[in-house]
Amino acid sequence: MTAPGAGDTVSASQPWRLDGQLAVVTGASSGIGRAMALELADLGADLMLAARRLPALEESAELIRTRAPACRIWMVAADLATEAGREALWVAMQARGSLQILINNVGFNIRKRMEHLTLEEYRQVQEVNTTTAFELCRRLLPLLRAGAPASVVNNASVAGLTHLRTGAPYGMSKAALIQLTRNLAVEWAPFDIRVNAVAPWYIDTPLARQVMDDDQYLAEILSRTPMGRVGTPEEVARVMAFLCLPAAAYVTGQCLAVDGGFSVYGF
């Protein structure tokens, strides 16, 4: 059994830095993924960026190099919702040998009511949002163990905590991601791997703008948000980055809502 306070040695020297650590960030070409990559680079981490579109990944890399010139960056242009895409990332990561941070950020939705959804659409949402994270955790576990202490952060949603108009498949996928977080936190604690999640509300990203461009819909969002505004990708990224830091060495199995108070807003 580990002695009380033994984890203090992990964070004693540089609790607020990630120097020398390697992070995989999925969906790194825009939105929260790009903001997360920038935040980790600012904290000293090196990066493996993954997304479908190489030109957008290169834009992210250029922004990172401007802000954090010392950051080493690798890129994998692949659809991680496919076995071939996950294999491409695995092959690229094997050359690195170990891993300290995995950010499961890839997300997707088809906004329809249940009666209008096809089984194929349902499966597509689950494959992108849940299976991708599950498979990356499974495939990259040997590298996380080699790099421990290590941290996994899953980008879930308040849709996994309560009803939203995002549709049942999306809410189901995010609830599953939160439960995956809890289970792996317990399973992987003996390996010195922490697993946490964040649950954002409406954030100013390309995915959310699809509905926030509707002024009436945006007004309803704001009326349900105590802070009276939508969040920014940077605000989510900073919470995710905290969960990766040695300063959070005793935090695991948690899901932190980044929602301007939405999830606790009663009457």
Side-chain angles (χ1 to χ4, degrees):
M1 181 176 178
T2 303
D8 292 350
T9 57
V10 175
S11 57
S13 57
Q14 293 279 349
W16 301 101
R17 294 289 301 173
L18 295 170
D19 299 288
Q21 299 198 28
L22 175 60
V24 167
V25 181
T26 70
S29 58
S30 64
I32 293 171
R34 177 177 285 180
M36 187 61 190
L38 285 162
E39 192 70 25
L40 293 173
D42 284 344
L43 293 167
D46 295 322
L47 300 170
M48 174 69 76
L49 306 179
R52 289 176 300 170
R53 297 175 291 121
L54 182 59
L57 274 178
E58 290 173 335
E59 288 178 13
S60 293
E62 189 58 35
L63 287 170
I64 293 163
R65 292 188 184 103
T66 299
R67 244 166 68 169
C71 179
R72 295 185 298 168
I73 304 170
W74 297 271
M75 290 176 281
V76 175
D79 183 355
L80 298 178
T82 66
E83 183 57 34
R86 293 188 288 264
E87 179 68 16
L89 178 58
W90 168 242
V91 169
M93 282 304 302
Q94 282 184 302
R96 311 275 75 82
S98 65
L99 176 66
Q100 287 76 40
I101 297 168
L102 170 59
I103 306 298
N104 284 312
N105 171 69
V106 169
F108 169 76
N109 194 19
I110 297 173
R111 296 175 182 273
K112 291 183 179 180
R113 294 179 62 87
M114 177 73 88
E115 62 267 29
H116 299 141
L117 279 160
T118 66
L119 182 58
E120 180 56 36
E121 289 171 330
Y122 163 81
R123 287 173 172 162
Q124 190 176 2
V125 173
Q126 306 311 311
E127 190 72 24
V128 175
N129 294 354
T130 308
T131 305
T132 296
F134 176 87
E135 277 292 275
L136 289 182
C137 285
R138 188 179 69 84
R139 294 289 293 272
L140 295 175
L141 175 58
L143 300 181
L144 290 164
R145 292 187 68 172
S151 178
V152 178
V153 181
N154 297 317
N155 189 6
S157 168
V158 289
L161 302 173
T162 188
H163 166 264
L164 294 186
R165 297 181 197 173
T166 48
Y170 184 81
M172 293 166 66
S173 72
K174 295 300 186 176
L177 196 55
I178 293 168
Q179 190 59 39
L180 176 68
T181 298
R182 296 179 180 129
N183 277 76
L184 292 187
V186 176
E187 285 187 27
W188 291 1
F191 306 146
D192 205 5
I193 301 171
R194 297 182 298 107
V195 186
N196 291 290
V198 297
W201 170 227
Y202 276 94
I203 306 297
D204 187 16
T205 66
L207 183 64
R209 287 185 205 120
Q210 295 173 18
V211 293
M212 292 195 301
D213 285 343
D214 181 329
D215 289 341
Q216 182 177 347
Y217 195 90
L218 177 59
E220 290 190 65
I221 292 169
L222 299 181
S223 73
R224 288 162 171 77
T225 309
M227 293 186 71
R229 63 177 178 84
V230 299
T232 68
E234 291 75 19
E235 288 171 321
V236 180
R238 289 167 192 147
V239 176
M240 296 176 80
F242 165 72
L243 292 169
C244 299
L245 285 165
Y250 202 48
V251 180
T252 196
Q254 303 305 304
C255 180
L256 300 183
V258 187
D259 65 356
F262 165 80
S263 58
V264 297
Y265 191 24
F267 178 67

